[in-house]
Amino acid sequence: MGSTLKRDDGDLNQALLPESSIKHGDDQDDQEPMHLASRVWIESKKLWYIVGPAIFSRLLSFSMNIITQAFAGHLGDIELAAISIVVNVICGFSFGFLLGMASALETLCGQAFGAKRYHMLGIYLQRSWIVLFLWSILLLPLYLFATPILKLLRLPDDVADMSGVVALWLTPLHLIFAFQFPLQRFLQSQLKNFVITWVSLAALLVSVLIGWLFVLVLDFGIVGAVVALDISWSVLAVGLFGYLLCGGCPLTWTGFSVEAFSGLWEFIKLSAASGVMLCLETWYYAILMLMTGYLKNATIAVDALSICMNINGLEMMIHLAFFAGTGVRVANELGAGNGKGAKFATIVSVSYSTVIGLFFCVLVLIFHEKLAYVFTSSTDVLVAFDKMSYLLGATILLNSVQPVLSGVAVGSGWQASIAYINLGCYYIIGVPLGVLMGWVFNLGVMGVWGGMIFGGTGIQTVILGVITVRTDWKKQAEIARKRVSKWSHPKPDDHPEVQH
């Protein structure tokens, strides 16, 4: 590795390093305050360098799921309901937990990168692979016994039977998640977002091509659509791993190491806290889908709600990119000892995400009659979706703030505390309110959805906002310094001289 970075990595790090890594210290009272507009411009460049590619890559990867459900929707209402249930409930259950566990890397890798403990990123990645692989094995029964589980939850037999077939064929995708999620966060923490974007684009093209071939040309039906999804996600995982092995991260990846097996218990505890924090949010929407299945005309209600969730999920990829970008920026600044920088990064990110959410809320309200045609040609489903579209717009606006605040929590390492907040807001307030509005007040799917969103997500967002506003950022920087020291084992070449 030597004592200097390569020219391209050096120029990149010089442009994007936390301010304190250049000024050496937090709260530089003796320096002339930078003009606000200049600070916003500098922080915006740093943020959008992460968020821009992250939006594109997340839209591409989520579009693979959308494409699969679009193919299924034109096979029939049962097929659309089945794949929607599996993707949103079965996959959503495991997806949320594994993605959340992988988000521990956003805290550890982000703060280690800010503190220039580069070699530890590769160790953290390997530890995450070990932990997530073990958990993915434990979660396999969800896929293998999907049909009896869904029947136990009283879904219609035809939907449950078809869902069982879909879940069985999506087992490879479940195992791919455990490998791909840590890779993505490892690269993201060191600002390698353009690599993720290009590989995601390749995976999307494969998804469209194979989906068209298997479903429309070879007529493999629902199984063909699901296998196409498995293959496309495999392309994404293999592409990122290939970049790693081909020397794309010379500072942070030095090969496999037995050091990855040390400190696993501490890593498991942080990963579990991260997993619980995020999966409580993901499962919340799965519960919404399941509760809709108990309503009258359940198939139509599930189909219409799944379209709303797909549109919301697609737009949500933008705010999840801000979740990732905020987590990286906050972690980098705290790891470098710059509490004020972390606070300012939070303000800038929340502002951008809110404006974007408002724009798409208005867009949905204007084009509400036309959006569902992408997914279905069923008149009943189209009418049901049209009634839900106004609530969809409100949901999009509310969800433009919450992910950014969660990103602040991940970048700061607050996962365990936020998990308790999520549990209280979503499951003690949100779910009972949804049941009350849906069944007691007889408002159907609109009541269930409205009660869960405003009662759960709304209150959670307010609480996270209050916590963020009242945070002592200087203290958080000191906590981050102690965490980096505890988890890292410095090497002589961990602090290379940055070229100017």
mmCIF file of all heavy atoms in Angstrom, residues 275-308:
data_model
loop_
_atom_site.group_PDB
_atom_site.id
_atom_site.type_symbol
_atom_site.label_atom_id
_atom_site.label_comp_id
_atom_site.label_asym_id
_atom_site.label_seq_id
_atom_site.Cartn_x
_atom_site.Cartn_y
_atom_site.Cartn_z
ATOM 1 N N GLY A 275 -30.323 -4.850 13.022
ATOM 2 C CA GLY A 275 -31.343 -5.652 12.357
ATOM 3 C C GLY A 275 -32.724 -5.415 12.921
ATOM 4 O O GLY A 275 -33.696 -5.251 12.187
ATOM 5 N N VAL A 276 -32.832 -5.385 14.241
ATOM 6 C CA VAL A 276 -34.127 -5.153 14.881
ATOM 7 C C VAL A 276 -34.649 -3.766 14.540
ATOM 8 O O VAL A 276 -35.839 -3.584 14.242
ATOM 9 C CB VAL A 276 -34.015 -5.332 16.403
ATOM 10 C CG1 VAL A 276 -35.290 -4.879 17.102
ATOM 11 C CG2 VAL A 276 -33.709 -6.784 16.738
ATOM 12 N N MET A 277 -33.762 -2.765 14.550
ATOM 13 C CA MET A 277 -34.173 -1.397 14.250
ATOM 14 C C MET A 277 -34.825 -1.302 12.871
ATOM 15 O O MET A 277 -35.918 -0.741 12.709
ATOM 16 C CB MET A 277 -32.962 -0.465 14.303
ATOM 17 C CG MET A 277 -33.244 0.937 13.792
ATOM 18 S SD MET A 277 -31.740 1.929 13.619
ATOM 19 C CE MET A 277 -32.296 3.173 12.443
ATOM 20 N N LEU A 278 -34.173 -1.881 11.864
ATOM 21 C CA LEU A 278 -34.671 -1.725 10.500
ATOM 22 C C LEU A 278 -35.789 -2.713 10.184
ATOM 23 O O LEU A 278 -36.743 -2.374 9.482
ATOM 24 C CB LEU A 278 -33.520 -1.890 9.500
ATOM 25 C CG LEU A 278 -33.823 -1.465 8.065
ATOM 26 C CD1 LEU A 278 -34.253 0.005 8.026
ATOM 27 C CD2 LEU A 278 -32.613 -1.666 7.168
ATOM 28 N N CYS A 279 -35.685 -3.942 10.720
ATOM 29 C CA CYS A 279 -36.706 -4.929 10.372
ATOM 30 C C CYS A 279 -38.054 -4.574 10.979
ATOM 31 O O CYS A 279 -39.100 -4.925 10.421
ATOM 32 C CB CYS A 279 -36.283 -6.323 10.783
ATOM 33 S SG CYS A 279 -36.342 -6.638 12.562
ATOM 34 N N LEU A 280 -38.059 -3.885 12.111
ATOM 35 C CA LEU A 280 -39.333 -3.455 12.681
ATOM 36 C C LEU A 280 -40.067 -2.517 11.731
ATOM 37 O O LEU A 280 -41.304 -2.504 11.684
ATOM 38 C CB LEU A 280 -39.106 -2.767 14.025
ATOM 39 C CG LEU A 280 -38.729 -3.687 15.201
ATOM 40 C CD1 LEU A 280 -38.402 -2.864 16.442
ATOM 41 C CD2 LEU A 280 -39.844 -4.686 15.487
ATOM 42 N N GLU A 281 -39.304 -1.725 10.955
ATOM 43 C CA GLU A 281 -39.919 -0.861 9.951
ATOM 44 C C GLU A 281 -40.391 -1.673 8.750
ATOM 45 O O GLU A 281 -41.504 -1.497 8.249
ATOM 46 C CB GLU A 281 -38.913 0.203 9.502
ATOM 47 C CG GLU A 281 -38.455 1.130 10.612
ATOM 48 C CD GLU A 281 -37.483 2.181 10.106
ATOM 49 O OE1 GLU A 281 -37.423 2.394 8.877
ATOM 50 O OE2 GLU A 281 -36.781 2.790 10.936
ATOM 51 N N THR A 282 -39.537 -2.589 8.270
ATOM 52 C CA THR A 282 -39.882 -3.393 7.094
ATOM 53 C C THR A 282 -41.060 -4.307 7.384
ATOM 54 O O THR A 282 -41.975 -4.446 6.567
ATOM 55 C CB THR A 282 -38.666 -4.224 6.656
ATOM 56 O OG1 THR A 282 -37.546 -3.359 6.481
ATOM 57 C CG2 THR A 282 -38.941 -4.947 5.355
ATOM 58 N N TRP A 283 -41.055 -4.947 8.548
ATOM 59 C CA TRP A 283 -42.152 -5.849 8.907
ATOM 60 C C TRP A 283 -43.465 -5.096 9.063
ATOM 61 O O TRP A 283 -44.538 -5.663 8.881
ATOM 62 C CB TRP A 283 -41.824 -6.576 10.211
ATOM 63 C CG TRP A 283 -40.642 -7.484 10.116
ATOM 64 C CD1 TRP A 283 -40.000 -7.885 8.970
ATOM 65 C CD2 TRP A 283 -39.949 -8.116 11.198
ATOM 66 N NE1 TRP A 283 -38.938 -8.707 9.282
ATOM 67 C CE2 TRP A 283 -38.886 -8.872 10.637
ATOM 68 C CE3 TRP A 283 -40.116 -8.115 12.574
ATOM 69 C CZ2 TRP A 283 -38.007 -9.619 11.420
ATOM 70 C CZ3 TRP A 283 -39.249 -8.858 13.359
ATOM 71 C CH2 TRP A 283 -38.212 -9.604 12.779
ATOM 72 N N TYR A 284 -43.383 -3.841 9.395
ATOM 73 C CA TYR A 284 -44.584 -3.038 9.577
ATOM 74 C C TYR A 284 -45.416 -3.022 8.300
ATOM 75 O O TYR A 284 -46.637 -3.180 8.328
ATOM 76 C CB TYR A 284 -44.159 -1.623 9.964
ATOM 77 C CG TYR A 284 -45.250 -0.759 10.555
ATOM 78 C CD1 TYR A 284 -45.983 -1.180 11.652
ATOM 79 C CD2 TYR A 284 -45.509 0.508 10.029
ATOM 80 C CE1 TYR A 284 -46.958 -0.373 12.210
ATOM 81 C CE2 TYR A 284 -46.481 1.322 10.580
ATOM 82 C CZ TYR A 284 -47.202 0.879 11.676
ATOM 83 O OH TYR A 284 -48.162 1.678 12.231
ATOM 84 N N TYR A 285 -44.737 -2.868 7.176
ATOM 85 C CA TYR A 285 -45.451 -2.854 5.896
ATOM 86 C C TYR A 285 -45.909 -4.262 5.512
ATOM 87 O O TYR A 285 -46.928 -4.434 4.839
ATOM 88 C CB TYR A 285 -44.562 -2.249 4.808
ATOM 89 C CG TYR A 285 -44.372 -0.760 4.983
ATOM 90 C CD1 TYR A 285 -43.255 -0.251 5.633
ATOM 91 C CD2 TYR A 285 -45.325 0.141 4.528
ATOM 92 C CE1 TYR A 285 -43.086 1.112 5.816
ATOM 93 C CE2 TYR A 285 -45.169 1.507 4.707
ATOM 94 C CZ TYR A 285 -44.049 1.979 5.356
ATOM 95 O OH TYR A 285 -43.884 3.333 5.548
ATOM 96 N N ALA A 286 -45.150 -5.278 5.940
ATOM 97 C CA ALA A 286 -45.594 -6.644 5.713
ATOM 98 C C ALA A 286 -46.878 -6.931 6.488
ATOM 99 O O ALA A 286 -47.795 -7.593 5.987
ATOM 100 C CB ALA A 286 -44.491 -7.623 6.114
ATOM 101 N N ILE A 287 -46.948 -6.431 7.720
ATOM 102 C CA ILE A 287 -48.155 -6.599 8.534
ATOM 103 C C ILE A 287 -49.327 -5.871 7.899
ATOM 104 O O ILE A 287 -50.462 -6.361 7.887
ATOM 105 C CB ILE A 287 -47.903 -6.100 9.971
ATOM 106 C CG1 ILE A 287 -46.943 -7.040 10.690
ATOM 107 C CG2 ILE A 287 -49.208 -5.974 10.752
ATOM 108 C CD1 ILE A 287 -46.490 -6.542 12.049
ATOM 109 N N LEU A 288 -49.072 -4.708 7.334
ATOM 110 C CA LEU A 288 -50.119 -3.970 6.616
ATOM 111 C C LEU A 288 -50.679 -4.810 5.476
ATOM 112 O O LEU A 288 -51.900 -4.891 5.283
ATOM 113 C CB LEU A 288 -49.548 -2.650 6.083
ATOM 114 C CG LEU A 288 -50.425 -1.842 5.122
ATOM 115 C CD1 LEU A 288 -51.749 -1.474 5.795
ATOM 116 C CD2 LEU A 288 -49.691 -0.580 4.670
ATOM 117 N N MET A 289 -49.783 -5.486 4.732
ATOM 118 C CA MET A 289 -50.224 -6.329 3.624
ATOM 119 C C MET A 289 -51.034 -7.522 4.142
ATOM 120 O O MET A 289 -52.064 -7.884 3.572
ATOM 121 C CB MET A 289 -49.002 -6.809 2.838
ATOM 122 C CG MET A 289 -49.325 -7.558 1.563
ATOM 123 S SD MET A 289 -50.009 -6.501 0.265
ATOM 124 C CE MET A 289 -48.600 -5.459 -0.100
ATOM 125 N N LEU A 290 -50.570 -8.133 5.235
ATOM 126 C CA LEU A 290 -51.286 -9.277 5.793
ATOM 127 C C LEU A 290 -52.665 -8.874 6.312
ATOM 128 O O LEU A 290 -53.650 -9.583 6.093
ATOM 129 C CB LEU A 290 -50.468 -9.892 6.929
ATOM 130 C CG LEU A 290 -49.274 -10.765 6.528
ATOM 131 C CD1 LEU A 290 -48.479 -11.160 7.755
ATOM 132 C CD2 LEU A 290 -49.748 -12.000 5.777
ATOM 133 N N MET A 291 -52.741 -7.760 7.006
ATOM 134 C CA MET A 291 -54.029 -7.311 7.549
ATOM 135 C C MET A 291 -55.020 -7.017 6.429
ATOM 136 O O MET A 291 -56.227 -7.251 6.566
ATOM 137 C CB MET A 291 -53.816 -6.071 8.419
ATOM 138 C CG MET A 291 -53.090 -6.370 9.734
ATOM 139 S SD MET A 291 -52.657 -4.877 10.674
ATOM 140 C CE MET A 291 -54.287 -4.254 11.090
ATOM 141 N N THR A 292 -54.516 -6.531 5.309
ATOM 142 C CA THR A 292 -55.385 -6.274 4.158
ATOM 143 C C THR A 292 -55.981 -7.575 3.631
ATOM 144 O O THR A 292 -57.106 -7.593 3.122
ATOM 145 C CB THR A 292 -54.580 -5.567 3.046
ATOM 146 O OG1 THR A 292 -54.010 -4.375 3.578
ATOM 147 C CG2 THR A 292 -55.470 -5.219 1.870
ATOM 148 N N GLY A 293 -55.231 -8.676 3.776
ATOM 149 C CA GLY A 293 -55.720 -9.970 3.311
ATOM 150 C C GLY A 293 -56.928 -10.483 4.073
ATOM 151 O O GLY A 293 -57.598 -11.409 3.620
ATOM 152 N N TYR A 294 -57.239 -9.900 5.222
ATOM 153 C CA TYR A 294 -58.393 -10.312 6.004
ATOM 154 C C TYR A 294 -59.652 -9.516 5.670
ATOM 155 O O TYR A 294 -60.732 -9.793 6.206
ATOM 156 C CB TYR A 294 -58.099 -10.150 7.499
ATOM 157 C CG TYR A 294 -56.953 -10.992 7.987
ATOM 158 C CD1 TYR A 294 -56.006 -10.464 8.868
ATOM 159 C CD2 TYR A 294 -56.788 -12.303 7.569
ATOM 160 C CE1 TYR A 294 -54.947 -11.223 9.327
ATOM 161 C CE2 TYR A 294 -55.727 -13.074 8.015
ATOM 162 C CZ TYR A 294 -54.809 -12.533 8.897
ATOM 163 O OH TYR A 294 -53.766 -13.295 9.341
ATOM 164 N N LEU A 295 -59.525 -8.511 4.808
ATOM 165 C CA LEU A 295 -60.671 -7.678 4.472
ATOM 166 C C LEU A 295 -61.551 -8.369 3.435
ATOM 167 O O LEU A 295 -61.166 -9.370 2.820
ATOM 168 C CB LEU A 295 -60.185 -6.330 3.923
ATOM 169 C CG LEU A 295 -59.367 -5.463 4.882
ATOM 170 C CD1 LEU A 295 -58.775 -4.276 4.127
ATOM 171 C CD2 LEU A 295 -60.218 -4.974 6.047
ATOM 172 N N LYS A 296 -62.750 -7.828 3.227
ATOM 173 C CA LYS A 296 -63.612 -8.319 2.152
ATOM 174 C C LYS A 296 -62.955 -8.009 0.802
ATOM 175 O O LYS A 296 -62.261 -7.008 0.655
ATOM 176 C CB LYS A 296 -64.981 -7.649 2.225
ATOM 177 C CG LYS A 296 -65.773 -7.995 3.492
ATOM 178 C CD LYS A 296 -67.118 -7.284 3.494
ATOM 179 C CE LYS A 296 -67.887 -7.621 4.761
ATOM 180 N NZ LYS A 296 -69.198 -6.904 4.801
ATOM 181 N N ASN A 297 -63.220 -8.887 -0.187
ATOM 182 C CA ASN A 297 -62.577 -8.755 -1.502
ATOM 183 C C ASN A 297 -61.059 -8.644 -1.328
ATOM 184 O O ASN A 297 -60.406 -7.735 -1.848
ATOM 185 C CB ASN A 297 -63.106 -7.532 -2.257
ATOM 186 C CG ASN A 297 -64.600 -7.612 -2.514
ATOM 187 O OD1 ASN A 297 -65.115 -8.673 -2.871
ATOM 188 N ND2 ASN A 297 -65.285 -6.496 -2.325
ATOM 189 N N ALA A 298 -60.499 -9.616 -0.583
ATOM 190 C CA ALA A 298 -59.093 -9.531 -0.171
ATOM 191 C C ALA A 298 -58.150 -9.496 -1.358
ATOM 192 O O ALA A 298 -57.163 -8.752 -1.349
ATOM 193 C CB ALA A 298 -58.750 -10.714 0.742
ATOM 194 N N THR A 299 -58.416 -10.292 -2.396
ATOM 195 C CA THR A 299 -57.498 -10.335 -3.534
ATOM 196 C C THR A 299 -57.382 -8.976 -4.200
ATOM 197 O O THR A 299 -56.285 -8.518 -4.522
ATOM 198 C CB THR A 299 -57.971 -11.393 -4.556
ATOM 199 O OG1 THR A 299 -58.014 -12.677 -3.926
ATOM 200 C CG2 THR A 299 -57.007 -11.442 -5.736
ATOM 201 N N ILE A 300 -58.524 -8.313 -4.414
ATOM 202 C CA ILE A 300 -58.513 -6.985 -5.035
ATOM 203 C C ILE A 300 -57.806 -5.981 -4.124
ATOM 204 O O ILE A 300 -56.996 -5.160 -4.567
ATOM 205 C CB ILE A 300 -59.956 -6.508 -5.326
ATOM 206 C CG1 ILE A 300 -60.648 -7.469 -6.293
ATOM 207 C CG2 ILE A 300 -59.929 -5.089 -5.900
ATOM 208 C CD1 ILE A 300 -59.972 -7.616 -7.632
ATOM 209 N N ALA A 301 -58.103 -6.054 -2.817
ATOM 210 C CA ALA A 301 -57.478 -5.125 -1.867
ATOM 211 C C ALA A 301 -55.965 -5.310 -1.818
ATOM 212 O O ALA A 301 -55.208 -4.340 -1.805
ATOM 213 C CB ALA A 301 -58.070 -5.323 -0.478
ATOM 214 N N VAL A 302 -55.515 -6.581 -1.789
ATOM 215 C CA VAL A 302 -54.075 -6.859 -1.763
ATOM 216 C C VAL A 302 -53.399 -6.384 -3.046
ATOM 217 O O VAL A 302 -52.313 -5.790 -3.022
ATOM 218 C CB VAL A 302 -53.820 -8.369 -1.541
ATOM 219 C CG1 VAL A 302 -52.355 -8.705 -1.800
ATOM 220 C CG2 VAL A 302 -54.203 -8.772 -0.130
ATOM 221 N N ASP A 303 -54.066 -6.634 -4.193
ATOM 222 C CA ASP A 303 -53.485 -6.193 -5.465
ATOM 223 C C ASP A 303 -53.329 -4.674 -5.509
ATOM 224 O O ASP A 303 -52.277 -4.153 -5.898
ATOM 225 C CB ASP A 303 -54.372 -6.655 -6.633
ATOM 226 C CG ASP A 303 -54.230 -8.143 -6.913
ATOM 227 O OD1 ASP A 303 -53.316 -8.763 -6.332
ATOM 228 O OD2 ASP A 303 -55.034 -8.680 -7.700
ATOM 229 N N ALA A 304 -54.391 -3.950 -5.118
ATOM 230 C CA ALA A 304 -54.339 -2.481 -5.157
ATOM 231 C C ALA A 304 -53.310 -1.938 -4.174
ATOM 232 O O ALA A 304 -52.540 -1.021 -4.501
ATOM 233 C CB ALA A 304 -55.715 -1.899 -4.860
ATOM 234 N N LEU A 305 -53.281 -2.510 -2.970
ATOM 235 C CA LEU A 305 -52.314 -2.050 -1.975
ATOM 236 C C LEU A 305 -50.886 -2.376 -2.403
ATOM 237 O O LEU A 305 -49.963 -1.584 -2.179
ATOM 238 C CB LEU A 305 -52.614 -2.681 -0.620
ATOM 239 C CG LEU A 305 -51.697 -2.249 0.526
ATOM 240 C CD1 LEU A 305 -51.809 -0.738 0.769
ATOM 241 C CD2 LEU A 305 -52.019 -3.013 1.803
ATOM 242 N N SER A 306 -50.687 -3.543 -3.049
ATOM 243 C CA SER A 306 -49.339 -3.906 -3.489
ATOM 244 C C SER A 306 -48.834 -2.930 -4.549
ATOM 245 O O SER A 306 -47.639 -2.612 -4.592
ATOM 246 C CB SER A 306 -49.320 -5.332 -4.033
ATOM 247 O OG SER A 306 -50.014 -5.433 -5.259
ATOM 248 N N ILE A 307 -49.740 -2.439 -5.396
ATOM 249 C CA ILE A 307 -49.342 -1.435 -6.385
ATOM 250 C C ILE A 307 -48.932 -0.144 -5.678
ATOM 251 O O ILE A 307 -47.923 0.481 -6.019
ATOM 252 C CB ILE A 307 -50.488 -1.180 -7.386
ATOM 253 C CG1 ILE A 307 -50.742 -2.440 -8.226
ATOM 254 C CG2 ILE A 307 -50.149 -0.004 -8.308
ATOM 255 C CD1 ILE A 307 -51.957 -2.341 -9.131
ATOM 256 N N CYS A 308 -49.725 0.247 -4.674
ATOM 257 C CA CYS A 308 -49.364 1.437 -3.892
ATOM 258 C C CYS A 308 -48.004 1.258 -3.221
ATOM 259 O O CYS A 308 -47.163 2.164 -3.226
ATOM 260 C CB CYS A 308 -50.425 1.708 -2.819
ATOM 261 S SG CYS A 308 -52.005 2.314 -3.433
#
